[in-house]
Amino acid sequence: METIVKIQDVKKVYGKKNEKKTEALKGISFEVNKGEFIGIMGASGSGKSTLLNLLSTLDNPTEGNILINQKDVSTLKGNRLADFRGKEIGFIFQDFNLLENLTAAENIAVPLSLQGVKPKIIKREVQKIAQRLSIDHILDSYPTAISGGQKQRVAAARALVTQPTILLGDEPTGALDSKSAKDLLDTMEELNREDQVSILLVTHDPLSASYCQRILFIKDGVIYQQIQRGEKNREIFYRDILSALGNLEQ
Ligand SMILES: Nc1ncnc2c1ncn2[C@@H]1O[C@H](COP(=O)(O)OP(=O)(O)OP(=O)(O)O)[C@@H](O)[C@H]1O
Ligand SMILES: [Mg+2]
């Protein structure tokens, strides 16, 4: 199996010299194989977003290594890092992060424009991913004129238009109503199953987590437990997750 992400004994301490120190991650190691759909769960403050920020190369670990597609990301700086991030990593956040003065199509096109891709190819790729996410009918709309669920689909299309190595999501369903959340999760599951998109999803929500194949539970900056869905259906896996969360609280 092809390993696309390798996290080796990663530690993260916040706070500069003479400031109060917070040890957010205390030695995390795991690997992501191509085509996996992994969930990260844990209480508030356990280090989930910290881990995702390191994986998305927006921040550096204090210790340890992160390899994405065999590349140690700490060796990249400036433009080369931005370029690598743009090509290899897609992210979706709770609050969509769309640019309000651009249409849906223009928002989706941003990462390709930044890479200097030709307009004709951009148009084709935007159409393709919009169709995949069932948002081709709202491509000319501005973010203020579409629903939360549609906004998150636009954000997902923007994250996927570059065909990144991995899609990272930090509570992407957090601001959605339950129907839109379920629709987005169904789509993510489909993209994972049919197009082998590798996904890492941070979530508080056991139902969202039940869509994943493997779940890592973080507590106080370390991986406390892992569970695998295997051949189980979602309902049974959901119950496994609840019971793992129960154990976590003790
Ligand atoms: N920029 C920062 N500076 C200092 N401390 C930080 C910073 N970001 C996070 N922390 C601290 O690091 C720890 C982990 O935070 P993190 O945001 O990773 O938690 P989380 O698991 O994502 O929580 P939540 O579920 O509430 O989003 C917390 O104690 C937090 O206060
Ligand atoms: Mg967080």
Side-chain angles (χ1 to χ4, degrees), residues 14 47-60 66 85 91 93 168 170:
Y14 288 113
K48 304 182 296 297
S49 295
T50 299
L51 178 61
L52 224 59
N53 288 340
L54 298 181
L55 275 170
S56 62
T57 73
L58 293 171
D59 200 1
N60 297 310
I66 296 177
R85 187 188 301 139
F91 17 51
F93 307 90
L168 305 173
D170 198 349

Side-chain angles (χ1 to χ4, degrees), residues 2-6 67-72 84 88 165:
E2 192 187 339
T3 304
I4 53 162
V5 175
K6 209 173 203 162
L67 282 84
I68 297 175
N69 254 344
Q70 278 113 45
K71 184 90 196 160
D72 183 342
F84 180 86
E88 305 285 339
T165 299

